[in-house]
Amino acid sequence: MISANLTNEVRKAVYKRDGYTCALCDSPRGLQVHHCVPRSEGGTDFQQNLITLCWRCHAVAHGTKMPEYPDWMGTKELKQACTEYLADHYASLGLLWNPWEEKMQSLV
């Protein structure tokens, strides 16, 4: 499902940032853009709130049980993994991750 507010430019930038693979399992197949903080909870369409997931990880992130995933791997765990991935990525660039701001603040 494509968000009406998510431009192709932003979508392509997210895919490129994440190396054209799922940020969680490294699969290059069935890539989709996922909102780390859901729009229904105030999340934005800014690149800092978006992560590349394969269709399987994306399905689990939205509550679908997948037989190839361990029983303990659910929505809560995927949300935490997405948050850690994005926070770590931006920290490695010396930036404070904030999914609600388009401009990032320097950690220095």
Side-chain angles (χ1 to χ4, degrees):
M1 177 182 212
I2 296 176
S3 165
N5 299 324
L6 188 57
T7 66
N8 280 334
E9 179 182 12
V10 170
R11 184 183 322 286
K12 288 176 184 179
V14 171
Y15 288 151
K16 183 176 181 178
R17 179 200 66 205
D18 296 340
Y20 301 98
T21 61
C22 177
L24 302 183
C25 75
D26 293 327
S27 173
R29 307 179 110 211
L31 299 179
Q32 302 174 351
V33 173
H34 174 68
H35 290 80
C36 188
V37 177
R39 292 185 335 168
S40 63
E41 296 174 14
T44 67
D45 287 330
F46 299 143
Q47 186 174 334
Q48 294 83 344
N49 187 41
L50 304 171
I51 188 168
T52 304
L53 297 181
C54 69
W55 71 271
R56 285 183 174 92
C57 287
H58 199 195
V60 173
H62 285 282
T64 302
K65 288 298 250 177
M66 300 296 279
E68 58 268 27
Y69 284 75
D71 287 340
W72 57 265
M73 181 63 77
T75 303
K76 181 179 174 184
E77 292 77 17
L78 264 285
K79 182 175 179 67
Q80 181 66 32
C82 290
T83 300
E84 289 176 10
Y85 174 88
L86 289 170
D88 289 350
H89 170 76
Y90 287 106
S92 74
L93 300 174
L95 300 171
L96 179 63
W97 176 65
N98 184 341
W100 295 280
E101 296 287 332
E102 188 167 14
K103 302 278 186 200
M104 303 293 279
Q105 294 180 15
S106 175
L107 290 174
V108 182

